[in-house]
Protein backbone atom coordinates (compact mmCIF):
# COMPACT_ATOMS: atom_id res chain seq x y z
CA UNK A 1 0.00 0.00 0.00
CA UNK A 2 1.32 3.44 -0.94
CA UNK A 3 1.59 5.94 1.89
CA UNK A 4 0.35 9.48 1.46
CA UNK A 5 3.76 10.94 2.24
CA UNK A 6 7.29 9.70 1.75
CA UNK A 7 9.89 11.24 4.05
CA UNK A 8 13.29 11.31 2.34
CA UNK A 9 16.44 11.49 4.48
CA UNK A 10 19.80 11.72 2.68
CA UNK A 11 22.74 10.56 4.80
CA UNK A 12 26.50 10.71 4.55
CA UNK A 13 28.42 9.58 7.64
CA UNK A 14 25.68 10.87 9.90
CA UNK A 15 25.34 7.95 12.29
CA UNK A 16 25.53 10.19 15.37
CA UNK A 17 22.44 12.09 14.22
CA UNK A 18 20.31 9.29 12.77
CA UNK A 19 18.92 7.72 15.92
CA UNK A 20 17.36 10.88 17.43
CA UNK A 21 16.20 11.97 13.98
CA UNK A 22 14.42 8.72 13.17
CA UNK A 23 12.95 8.34 16.66
CA UNK A 24 11.35 11.77 16.28
CA UNK A 25 10.05 10.91 12.80
CA UNK A 26 8.31 7.75 14.00
CA UNK A 27 6.79 9.68 16.93
CA UNK A 28 4.74 11.85 14.55
CA UNK A 29 1.04 12.36 15.29
CA UNK A 30 0.35 12.04 11.54
CA UNK A 31 1.26 8.47 10.65
CA UNK A 32 0.39 7.98 6.97
CA UNK A 33 3.98 8.04 5.76
CA UNK A 34 6.91 5.90 4.74
CA UNK A 35 10.59 6.70 5.21
CA UNK A 36 13.34 6.27 2.63
CA UNK A 37 16.92 6.85 3.75
CA UNK A 38 19.42 7.31 0.94
CA UNK A 39 22.94 6.57 2.12
CA UNK A 40 25.64 8.28 0.07
CA UNK A 41 28.48 5.83 0.60
CA UNK A 42 28.92 6.30 4.35
CA UNK A 43 32.03 4.81 5.91
CA UNK A 44 30.64 4.85 9.45
CA UNK A 45 28.05 2.25 10.44
CA UNK A 46 25.02 4.37 9.48
CA UNK A 47 23.50 1.63 7.34
CA UNK A 48 23.94 -1.07 10.01
CA UNK A 49 22.30 1.20 12.57
CA UNK A 50 19.26 1.77 10.37
CA UNK A 51 18.94 -1.91 9.49
CA UNK A 52 19.16 -2.95 13.12
CA UNK A 53 17.22 -0.23 14.93
CA UNK A 54 14.79 0.94 12.22
CA UNK A 55 13.93 -2.00 9.95
CA UNK A 56 10.79 -0.18 8.75
CA UNK A 57 12.99 2.32 6.89
CA UNK A 58 13.56 1.62 3.20
CA UNK A 59 17.26 1.91 2.40
CA UNK A 60 18.84 3.04 -0.85
CA UNK A 61 22.60 2.52 -0.73
CA UNK A 62 24.99 4.38 -3.00
CA UNK A 63 28.62 3.32 -3.34
CA UNK A 64 29.78 6.97 -3.26
CA UNK A 65 28.49 10.39 -2.29
CA UNK A 66 26.03 11.38 -5.02
CA UNK A 67 25.10 14.66 -3.32
CA UNK A 68 21.98 15.98 -1.61
CA UNK A 69 20.05 16.69 -4.81
CA UNK A 70 20.62 13.30 -6.42
CA UNK A 71 19.89 11.42 -3.19
CA UNK A 72 16.52 13.13 -2.83
CA UNK A 73 15.71 12.46 -6.48
CA UNK A 74 16.49 8.75 -6.10
CA UNK A 75 13.95 8.41 -3.31
CA UNK A 76 11.33 10.53 -5.06
CA UNK A 77 11.59 8.35 -8.16
CA UNK A 78 11.40 5.19 -6.03
CA UNK A 79 8.08 6.26 -4.44
CA UNK A 80 4.57 7.20 -5.52
CA UNK A 81 3.23 9.26 -2.62
CA UNK A 82 1.04 12.35 -2.98
CA UNK A 83 3.55 14.43 -1.03
CA UNK A 84 7.32 14.26 -0.51
CA UNK A 85 8.91 15.52 2.70
CA UNK A 86 12.66 16.16 2.58
CA UNK A 87 14.49 16.06 5.89
CA UNK A 88 18.12 16.49 6.92
CA UNK A 89 19.63 13.72 9.02
CA UNK A 90 20.79 16.31 11.60
CA UNK A 91 17.26 17.29 12.62
CA UNK A 92 14.77 16.35 15.32
CA UNK A 93 11.14 17.04 14.44
CA UNK A 94 8.41 17.80 16.93
CA UNK A 95 5.37 15.44 16.97
CA UNK A 96 3.07 17.84 15.11
CA UNK A 97 5.58 18.68 12.37
CA UNK A 98 4.31 16.52 9.52
CA UNK A 99 0.62 17.00 10.26
CA UNK A 100 1.01 20.78 10.25
CA UNK A 101 2.69 20.68 6.83
CA UNK A 102 0.01 18.42 5.36
CA UNK A 103 -2.85 20.57 6.67
CA UNK A 104 -1.27 23.67 5.14
CA UNK A 105 -0.82 21.97 1.77
CA UNK A 106 -4.37 20.62 1.78
CA UNK A 107 -5.80 24.11 2.27
CA UNK A 108 -5.00 25.09 -1.34
CA UNK A 109 -4.23 22.80 -4.27
CA UNK A 110 -1.96 25.47 -5.79
CA UNK A 111 0.40 25.22 -2.81
CA UNK A 112 3.29 23.11 -4.08
CA UNK A 113 5.77 23.70 -1.25
CA UNK A 114 5.63 24.13 2.53
CA UNK A 115 8.45 25.44 4.71
CA UNK A 116 9.05 24.43 8.31
CA UNK A 117 10.02 26.53 11.32
CA UNK A 118 13.61 25.38 11.74
CA UNK A 119 15.23 26.24 15.06
CA UNK A 120 18.91 26.00 15.96
CA UNK A 121 19.29 22.80 17.98
CA UNK A 122 21.86 24.33 20.31
CA UNK A 123 19.52 27.23 21.14
CA UNK A 124 15.90 26.30 20.68
CA UNK A 125 14.53 29.85 20.85
CA UNK A 126 16.49 31.09 17.80
CA UNK A 127 15.26 30.60 14.25
CA UNK A 128 17.50 28.91 11.71
CA UNK A 129 15.01 29.17 8.81
CA UNK A 130 11.44 30.32 8.29
CA UNK A 131 11.51 29.68 4.58
CA UNK A 132 13.84 31.04 1.92
CA UNK A 133 13.92 34.59 0.55
CA UNK A 134 15.61 35.98 -2.59
CA UNK A 135 16.23 39.64 -3.30
CA UNK A 136 16.51 41.56 -6.57
CA UNK A 137 20.29 41.34 -6.43
CA UNK A 138 19.98 37.54 -6.53
CA UNK A 139 21.04 37.10 -2.90
CA UNK A 140 19.50 34.15 -1.05
CA UNK A 141 18.98 33.81 2.70
CA UNK A 142 16.90 32.03 5.33
CA UNK A 143 14.08 34.24 6.54
CA UNK A 144 14.23 35.29 10.20
CA UNK A 145 17.51 33.41 10.71
CA UNK A 146 19.15 34.48 13.95
CA UNK A 147 15.99 36.05 15.37
CA UNK A 148 14.63 34.97 18.73
CA UNK A 149 11.25 33.29 18.24
CA UNK A 150 9.24 35.63 20.48
CA UNK A 151 10.51 38.69 18.58
CA UNK A 152 10.40 37.23 15.07
CA UNK A 153 7.71 38.15 12.57
CA UNK A 154 7.51 34.41 11.92
CA UNK A 155 6.19 33.60 15.37
CA UNK A 156 2.46 33.30 14.65
CA UNK A 157 0.41 30.22 13.80
CA UNK A 158 -1.06 31.14 10.39
CA UNK A 159 0.82 29.95 7.27
CA UNK A 160 2.64 32.81 5.52
CA UNK A 161 3.38 33.06 1.78
CA UNK A 162 7.15 32.82 1.16
CA UNK A 163 9.39 32.30 -1.85
CA UNK A 164 10.43 28.75 -1.02
CA UNK A 165 11.35 26.25 1.71
CA UNK A 166 14.70 25.10 3.01
CA UNK A 167 14.85 21.50 1.81
CA UNK A 168 16.33 20.51 5.15
CA UNK A 169 12.72 20.20 6.35
CA UNK A 170 10.19 20.78 3.58
CA UNK A 171 7.04 19.33 2.05
CA UNK A 172 6.56 19.14 -1.73
CA UNK A 173 3.46 18.22 -3.71
CA UNK A 174 4.29 15.47 -6.19
CA UNK A 175 2.03 17.04 -8.82
CA UNK A 176 4.29 20.09 -8.69
CA UNK A 177 7.44 17.99 -9.02
CA UNK A 178 5.90 16.18 -11.99
CA UNK A 179 5.18 19.58 -13.51
CA UNK A 180 8.57 21.29 -13.08
CA UNK A 181 10.98 18.34 -12.58
CA UNK A 182 13.04 17.41 -9.53
CA UNK A 183 16.16 18.85 -7.88
CA UNK A 184 18.93 19.84 -10.29
CA UNK A 185 21.65 17.26 -9.66
CA UNK A 186 24.37 19.47 -11.14
CA UNK A 187 24.10 21.57 -7.96
CA UNK A 188 25.14 18.53 -5.85
CA UNK A 189 24.36 20.38 -2.60
CA UNK A 190 23.34 23.92 -1.53
CA UNK A 191 20.84 26.14 -3.34
CA UNK A 192 19.27 23.20 -5.17
CA UNK A 193 16.17 23.95 -3.09
CA UNK A 194 16.23 27.62 -4.17
CA UNK A 195 16.48 26.58 -7.81
CA UNK A 196 13.50 24.26 -7.35
CA UNK A 197 11.53 27.01 -5.60
CA UNK A 198 12.34 29.48 -8.37
CA UNK A 199 11.17 27.06 -11.07
CA UNK A 200 8.01 26.40 -9.07
CA UNK A 201 7.31 30.12 -8.73
CA UNK A 202 7.82 30.64 -12.48
CA UNK A 203 5.28 27.85 -13.09
CA UNK A 204 2.69 29.51 -10.82
CA UNK A 205 2.97 27.26 -7.76
CA UNK A 206 2.83 28.75 -4.26
CA UNK A 207 4.85 28.20 -1.10
CA UNK A 208 3.81 28.82 2.50
CA UNK A 209 5.80 28.90 5.71
CA UNK A 210 4.09 26.83 8.43
CA UNK A 211 5.06 28.12 11.91
CA UNK A 212 3.52 25.09 13.66
CA UNK A 213 5.80 22.67 11.78
CA UNK A 214 8.75 22.84 14.19
CA UNK A 215 12.16 21.27 13.56
CA UNK A 216 15.35 21.44 15.62
CA UNK A 217 18.38 21.58 13.32
CA UNK A 218 22.12 21.26 13.85
CA UNK A 219 23.08 23.87 11.25
CA UNK A 220 25.71 22.72 8.70
CA UNK A 221 26.51 19.52 10.54
CA UNK A 222 27.60 17.83 7.30
CA UNK A 223 29.05 20.73 5.32
CA UNK A 224 30.68 22.87 8.02
CA UNK A 225 29.81 26.57 8.02
CA UNK A 226 32.73 28.51 6.53
CA UNK A 227 34.45 25.39 5.14
CA UNK A 228 36.22 25.53 1.77
CA UNK A 229 33.87 22.82 0.46
CA UNK A 230 30.73 24.74 1.36
CA UNK A 231 32.05 28.12 0.20
CA UNK A 232 33.07 26.64 -3.15
CA UNK A 233 29.68 25.07 -3.80
CA UNK A 234 27.80 28.17 -2.66
CA UNK A 235 29.88 30.37 -4.98
CA UNK A 236 29.45 28.03 -7.92
CA UNK A 237 25.76 27.38 -7.41
CA UNK A 238 24.91 31.06 -6.99
CA UNK A 239 26.23 31.78 -10.49
CA UNK A 240 24.26 28.87 -11.88
CA UNK A 241 21.14 30.02 -10.06
CA UNK A 242 21.40 33.48 -11.66
CA UNK A 243 22.06 32.04 -15.11
CA UNK A 244 19.19 29.61 -14.89
CA UNK A 245 16.40 31.37 -12.98
CA UNK A 246 16.97 35.11 -12.60
CA UNK A 247 14.39 37.38 -14.36
CA UNK A 248 15.90 38.55 -17.63
CA UNK A 249 14.65 42.12 -17.25
CA UNK A 250 16.90 42.55 -14.21
CA UNK A 251 20.05 41.25 -15.86
CA UNK A 252 21.16 44.78 -16.63
CA UNK A 253 21.01 45.63 -12.94
CA UNK A 254 24.58 46.37 -11.95
CA UNK A 255 23.68 45.73 -8.33
CA UNK A 256 23.60 41.98 -8.99
CA UNK A 257 27.25 41.88 -9.92
CA UNK A 258 28.29 44.70 -7.59
CA UNK A 259 26.88 42.85 -4.58
CA UNK A 260 28.49 39.62 -5.72
CA UNK A 261 31.87 41.31 -6.01
CA UNK A 262 31.38 42.70 -2.50
CA UNK A 263 30.53 39.20 -1.27
CA UNK A 264 33.74 37.82 -2.78
CA UNK A 265 35.73 40.72 -1.32
CA UNK A 266 34.27 40.07 2.12
CA UNK A 267 35.07 36.36 1.81
CA UNK A 268 38.68 37.17 0.92
CA UNK A 269 38.97 39.60 3.83
CA UNK A 270 37.56 36.92 6.15
CA UNK A 271 40.06 34.30 4.99
CA UNK A 272 37.46 32.34 3.01
CA UNK A 273 38.18 33.77 -0.42
CA UNK A 274 39.72 30.70 -2.04
CA UNK A 275 36.49 28.69 -1.98
CA UNK A 276 34.37 31.66 -3.05
CA UNK A 277 36.60 32.45 -6.02
CA UNK A 278 37.17 28.83 -6.99
CA UNK A 279 33.44 28.14 -7.02
CA UNK A 280 32.68 31.09 -9.29
CA UNK A 281 35.45 30.11 -11.69
CA UNK A 282 34.22 26.52 -11.70
CA UNK A 283 30.71 27.75 -12.51
CA UNK A 284 31.86 29.18 -15.85
CA UNK A 285 32.38 25.68 -17.22
CA UNK A 286 28.65 24.98 -17.16
CA UNK A 287 27.14 28.38 -17.91
CA UNK A 288 26.02 27.21 -21.35
CA UNK A 289 24.42 24.13 -19.79
CA UNK A 290 22.51 26.29 -17.30
CA UNK A 291 21.34 28.66 -20.03
CA UNK A 292 20.03 25.64 -21.96
CA UNK A 293 18.14 24.52 -18.83
CA UNK A 294 16.79 28.07 -18.51
CA UNK A 295 15.08 27.73 -21.88
CA UNK A 296 13.24 24.62 -20.66
CA UNK A 297 11.74 26.22 -17.54
CA UNK A 298 7.92 26.25 -17.41
CA UNK A 299 6.83 29.92 -17.23
CA UNK A 300 3.21 30.70 -16.47
CA UNK A 301 3.67 34.10 -14.84
CA UNK A 302 5.04 37.28 -16.48
CA UNK A 303 8.46 38.62 -15.59
CA UNK A 304 6.99 41.59 -13.71
CA UNK A 305 5.09 39.19 -11.45
CA UNK A 306 8.32 37.31 -10.70
CA UNK A 307 10.17 40.53 -9.93
CA UNK A 308 7.39 41.41 -7.47
CA UNK A 309 8.12 38.18 -5.57
CA UNK A 310 11.72 39.23 -4.94
CA UNK A 311 12.74 41.17 -1.85
CA UNK A 312 13.94 44.77 -2.38
CA UNK A 313 17.71 45.22 -2.33
CA UNK A 314 19.06 46.34 1.04
CA UNK A 315 22.22 48.22 1.99
CA UNK A 316 25.40 46.05 2.15
CA UNK A 317 25.60 46.21 5.95
CA UNK A 318 22.00 45.01 6.25
CA UNK A 319 22.81 42.13 3.90
CA UNK A 320 25.85 41.20 5.99
CA UNK A 321 23.78 41.15 9.17
CA UNK A 322 21.70 38.29 7.73
CA UNK A 323 24.69 35.98 8.16
CA UNK A 324 26.71 37.32 11.11
CA UNK A 325 25.11 34.93 13.60
CA UNK A 326 26.21 31.95 11.48
CA UNK A 327 29.82 33.08 11.55
CA UNK A 328 29.65 33.65 15.31
CA UNK A 329 28.21 30.17 15.84
CA UNK A 330 31.00 28.67 13.72
CA UNK A 331 33.71 30.45 15.69
CA UNK A 332 32.19 29.20 18.96
CA UNK A 333 32.05 25.64 17.64
CA UNK A 334 35.66 25.80 16.44
CA UNK A 335 36.80 26.85 19.92
CA UNK A 336 35.02 23.93 21.60
CA UNK A 337 36.35 20.34 21.78
CA UNK A 338 33.14 19.09 20.14
CA UNK A 339 33.44 21.56 17.26
CA UNK A 340 37.07 20.75 16.68
CA UNK A 341 36.40 17.02 16.62
CA UNK A 342 33.31 17.12 14.47
CA UNK A 343 33.79 15.86 10.96
CA UNK A 344 30.56 17.36 9.72
Amino acid sequence: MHRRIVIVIPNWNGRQYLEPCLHSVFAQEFQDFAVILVDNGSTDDSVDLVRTRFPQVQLIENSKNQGFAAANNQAIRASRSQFVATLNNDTVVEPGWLGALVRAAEADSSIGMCASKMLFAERGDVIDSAGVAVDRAGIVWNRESGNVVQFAQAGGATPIPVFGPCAGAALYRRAMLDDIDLFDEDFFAYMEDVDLAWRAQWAGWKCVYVPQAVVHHIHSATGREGSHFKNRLLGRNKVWLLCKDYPLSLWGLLLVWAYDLMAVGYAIASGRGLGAVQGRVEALGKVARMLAKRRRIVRRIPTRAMVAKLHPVEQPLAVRRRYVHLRTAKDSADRSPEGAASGN
Side-chain angles (χ1 to χ4, degrees):
M1 181 179 69
H2 297 294
R3 296 293 187 176
R4 191 154 183 216
I5 300 170
V6 61
I7 300 175
V8 181
I9 304 175
N11 179 70
W12 180 68
N13 290 330
R15 187 201 184 284
Q16 61 181 315
Y17 309 113
L18 283 176
E19 196 157 2
C21 175
L22 288 169
H23 275 308
S24 71
V25 165
F26 288 110
Q28 290 299 290
E29 295 164 356
F30 183 96
Q31 283 285 310
D32 192 4
F33 66 86
V35 178
I36 300 179
L37 186 138
V38 183
D39 187 77
N40 268 331
S42 293
T43 54
D44 59 8
D45 59 348
S46 293
V47 170
D48 289 339
L49 170 74
V50 174
R51 281 205 185 104
T52 304
R53 301 296 302 273
F54 302 96
Q56 67 272 53
V57 172
Q58 179 182 340
L59 271 167
I60 296 177
E61 296 179 60
N62 294 323
S63 59
K64 64 179 182 179
N65 190 352
Q66 303 284 357
F68 183 85
N72 276 302
N73 288 351
Q74 283 179 282
I76 293 168
R77 294 186 182 110
S79 59
R80 293 174 58 186
S81 57
Q82 181 184 359
F83 296 101
V84 174
T86 56
L87 188 65
N88 279 5
N89 62 355
D90 55 0
T91 59
V92 170
V93 292
E94 294 199 357
W97 168 70
L98 193 57
L101 292 175
V102 173
R103 288 191 296 273
E106 286 178 332
D108 183 347
S109 61
S110 67
I111 293 174
M113 308 167 284
C114 295
S116 303
K117 177 191 282 182
M118 301 180 72
L119 305 174
F120 286 103
E122 61 273 21
R123 186 178 170 189
D125 62 340
V126 177
I127 292 177
D128 180 7
S129 176
V132 168
V134 183
D135 70 16
R136 293 176 188 177
I139 301 169
V140 176
W141 72 100
N142 283 316
R143 294 177 63 256
E144 301 284 4
S145 187
N147 290 344
V148 177
V149 172
Q150 68 185 86
F151 300 115
Q153 296 176 5
T158 304
I160 301 168
V162 296
F163 192 83
C166 169
L171 186 75
Y172 297 98
R173 189 182 298 271
R174 186 175 293 271
M176 184 197 78
L177 298 175
D178 291 342
D179 181 34
I180 66 169
D181 207 358
L182 308 181
F183 292 104
D184 187 333
E185 297 182 12
D186 282 334
F187 281 59
F188 189 82
Y190 307 116
M191 293 195 187
E192 71 293 305
D193 49 1
V194 186
D195 167 64
L196 183 62
W198 219 324
R199 286 185 280 123
Q201 292 285 354
W202 274 119
W205 292 93
K206 300 175 185 175
C207 180
V208 292
Y209 159 66
V210 186
Q212 292 176 316
V214 180
V215 179
H216 302 272
H217 179 221
I218 303 173
H219 185 89
S220 292
T222 299
R224 290 291 302 280
E225 191 66 40
S227 68
H228 175 83
F229 172 79
K230 185 169 184 177
N231 288 334
R232 178 177 65 83
L233 293 191
L234 286 173
R236 183 194 69 181
N237 293 353
K238 180 184 177 182
V239 175
W240 288 350
L241 198 68
L242 292 170
C243 291
K244 186 177 176 184
D245 302 302
Y246 193 73
L248 198 57
S249 68
L250 291 181
W251 269 74
L253 191 64
L254 292 178
L255 282 175
V256 172
W257 306 113
Y259 270 75
D260 196 52
L261 283 173
M262 282 189 282
V264 172
Y266 178 72
I268 292 171
S270 303
R272 298 176 286 114
L274 180 60
V277 172
Q278 184 180 340
R280 285 162 173 82
V281 172
E282 184 180 332
L284 299 179
K286 285 190 177 179
V287 165
R289 180 179 174 89
M290 293 299 149
L291 292 175
K293 290 183 180 184
R294 179 187 183 92
R295 292 190 287 271
R296 297 196 295 270
I297 290 176
V298 177
R299 299 176 191 271
R300 297 193 183 100
I301 66 171
T303 298
R304 65 179 179 277
M306 176 57 77
V307 172
K309 294 176 181 289
L310 303 179
H311 195 279
V313 177
E314 295 184 326
Q315 294 294 328
L317 286 177
V319 172
R320 182 176 176 272
R321 280 195 293 270
R322 298 172 187 163
Y323 311 100
V324 167
H325 64 285
L326 298 178
R327 187 67 183 170
T328 302
K330 175 194 177 293
D331 292 342
S332 297
D334 288 346
R335 286 193 297 269
S336 71
E338 293 84 0
S342 174
N344 297 322

